[in-house]
């Protein structure tokens, strides 16, 4: 292990032998936790990228004991089949892993322009990296998101693809007012340096939503957000994630995150907490009608319940409720 000079919470497990860090134009950060086989599939999709851009991959192992992902990926880097490095983020948690990887990119790759993010349960299309970078440049966008298309382990679950938990927020490429997820994301280097570490608030470490909060704060600072509909990643969805209790828990969590992010956004303004709470109550009152409209439109009870669960989650957040789904990853 090669420890970083001033931070024993992060270490480098290994790197590709002919890595020229100054020549790298784009970085792909890939956090992983107990998914070695899926990690290898994600890396295979990144190896197959159709682009002339010089890019490197940073695998961020967040399981500091067994390190199954790091052990699986490291031979690919050491043989030079993949360009980049494998690192260990010793502090557990979603936000801790992202923060460590993004800081590593800034410290070790001085000239990259774009940082991209993909998760270890996702597969990138061959044009993914090129299209994300090109969209950022064409739109003049500082941050670009892309769709995460669900691939259900059981094909019979494909009907869930249009549920709000899985459906992308936008359908067309262009500038957008908000982004919500880092599962398929591009961030310009200057955004990271302007926002500064820690990039993601550790309050969201086991709940999720640190990415949504980061994106909200970046938009507040005036950074331009964009969407690339032509750069999807395919997200593997296990059968567990279409069970009613998981969908309900994720919907409630989305409501909690919505309240927490909005409170941070309004912080320092008059009656901020009161305004957020009143908005939550209004959404709760309207949610049965919104649900009925969804039911009439889709015929899906699960889809109809989504705005109700989100509204309930928003209100519960006012009383300290926090659904930390990542605290028990085996149930996520």
């Amino acid at each position: 292990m090669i420890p970083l000079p001033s931070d024993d919470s992060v270490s480098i497990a290994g790197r590709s032998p002919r890595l020229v860090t100054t020549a790298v134009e784009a970085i792909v950060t890939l956090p992983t936790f107990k998914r070695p086989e899926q990690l290898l599939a994600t890396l295979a999709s990144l190896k197959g990228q159709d682009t002339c851009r010089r890019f490197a991959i940073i695998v961020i192992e967040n399981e500091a004991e067994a390190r199954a992902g790091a052990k699986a990926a490291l031979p690919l880097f050491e043989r030079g089949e993949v360009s980049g490095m494998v690192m260990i983020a010793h502090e557990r948690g979603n936000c801790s892993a992202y923060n460590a990887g993004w800081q590593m990119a800034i410290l070790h790759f001085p000239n990259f322009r774009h940082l991209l993010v993909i998760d270890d349960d996702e597969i990138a299309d061959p044009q993914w990296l090129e299209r994300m970078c090109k969209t950022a440049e064409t739109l003049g966008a500082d941050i670009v998101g892309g769709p995460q298309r669900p691939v259900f382990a059981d094909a019979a679950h494909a009907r869930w693809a249009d549920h709000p938990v899985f459906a992308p927020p936008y359908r067309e490429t262009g500038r957008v007012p908000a982004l919500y997820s880092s599962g398929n994301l591009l961030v310009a280097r200057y955004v990271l340096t302007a926002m500064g570490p820690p990039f993601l608030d550790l309050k969201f470490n086991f709940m999720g939503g640190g990415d949504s909060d980061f994106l909200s704060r970046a938009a507040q600072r005036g950074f331009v957000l964009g969407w690339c509909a032509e750069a999807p990643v395919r997200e593997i969805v296990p059968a567990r994630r279409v069970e009613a209790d998981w969908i309900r828990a994720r919907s409630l969590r989305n409501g909690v995150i919505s309240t927490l992010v909005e409170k941070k956004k309004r912080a320092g303004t008059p009656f901020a907490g009161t305004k957020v709470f009143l908005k939550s109550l209004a959404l709760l009152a309207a949610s049965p009608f919104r649900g009925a409209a969804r039911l009439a439109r889709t015929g899906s009870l699960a889809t109809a319940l989504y705005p109700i669960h989100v509204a309930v989650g928003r209100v519960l957040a006012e009383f300290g409720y926090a659904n930390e789904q990542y605290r028990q990853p085996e149930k996520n």
Side-chain angles (χ1 to χ4, degrees), residues 25-96:
E25 304 170 56
I27 300 289
V28 180
T29 55
L30 172 50
T32 187
F33 185 84
K34 294 185 177 182
R35 289 172 174 161
E37 294 181 2
Q38 289 178 263
L39 172 63
L40 291 177
T42 304
L43 285 170
S45 74
L46 295 175
K47 280 176 59 179
Q49 290 298 294
D50 184 7
T51 182
C52 294
R53 299 174 194 262
R54 296 285 298 272
F55 73 94
I57 301 166
I58 300 178
V59 170
I60 310 152
E61 171 64 87
N62 197 219
E63 204 286 282
E65 287 75 40
R67 304 181 182 182
K71 291 175 181 176
L74 195 53
L76 299 177
F77 287 83
E78 292 178 335
R79 292 195 299 264
E81 296 178 26
V82 177
S83 178
M85 62 176 62
V86 178
M87 60 172 286
I88 314 296
H90 296 273
E91 292 183 2
R92 216 190 116 209
N94 174 275
C95 297
S96 294

Side-chain angles (χ1 to χ4, degrees), residues 105-302:
I106 291 171
L107 289 173
H108 287 265
F109 298 90
N111 298 322
F112 79 85
R113 295 178 58 202
H114 305 298
L115 181 141
L116 296 96
V117 187
I118 189 170
D119 287 337
D120 64 350
D121 58 350
E122 296 174 339
I123 304 296
D125 278 11
Q127 297 285 335
W128 172 70
L129 185 145
E130 181 60 31
R131 287 175 176 167
M132 290 289 280
C133 294
K134 191 69 174 177
T135 296
E137 294 158 3
T138 302
L139 294 178
D142 308 307
I143 305 174
V144 175
Q148 297 164 264
R149 292 181 181 164
V151 177
F152 296 94
D154 184 342
H157 295 151
R159 67 184 185 279
W160 286 92
D162 292 327
H163 189 280
V165 163
F166 302 111
Y170 306 105
R171 299 290 182 179
E172 297 181 358
T173 295
R175 291 191 177 189
V176 295
L179 293 170
Y180 307 98
S181 171
S182 61
N184 181 3
L185 191 70
L186 175 148
V187 184
R189 180 192 182 99
Y190 55 80
V191 174
L192 296 175
T193 56
M195 298 292 286
F199 309 101
L200 273 59
D201 188 339
L202 297 182
K203 177 194 300 182
F204 299 95
N205 227 355
F206 296 99
M207 182 193 313
D211 47 3
S212 184
D213 171 60
F214 171 82
L215 294 164
S216 173
R217 288 186 285 112
Q220 266 192 291
R221 292 189 61 162
F223 290 114
V224 176
L225 310 182
W227 182 261
C228 182
E230 295 79 25
V233 297
R234 288 170 286 138
E235 181 180 11
I236 310 303
V237 181
R240 163 75 181 135
R241 293 191 176 187
V242 295
E243 294 176 4
D245 65 328
W246 190 92
I247 295 287
R248 181 175 58 253
R250 178 56 59 101
S251 304
L252 288 169
R253 187 206 70 152
N254 288 353
V256 172
I257 290 170
S258 178
T259 288
L260 296 179
V261 170
E262 188 170 355
K263 281 189 171 185
K264 290 189 68 174
K265 185 176 180 179
R266 290 179 179 267
T269 63
F271 308 107
T274 301
K275 289 178 180 178
V276 174
F277 186 46
L278 290 175
K279 180 178 177 179
S280 296
L281 291 177
L283 288 171
L284 182 61
S287 64
F289 304 100
R290 296 175 67 198
R294 284 176 180 253
L295 181 62
R297 186 174 68 252
T298 67
S300 167
L301 179 60

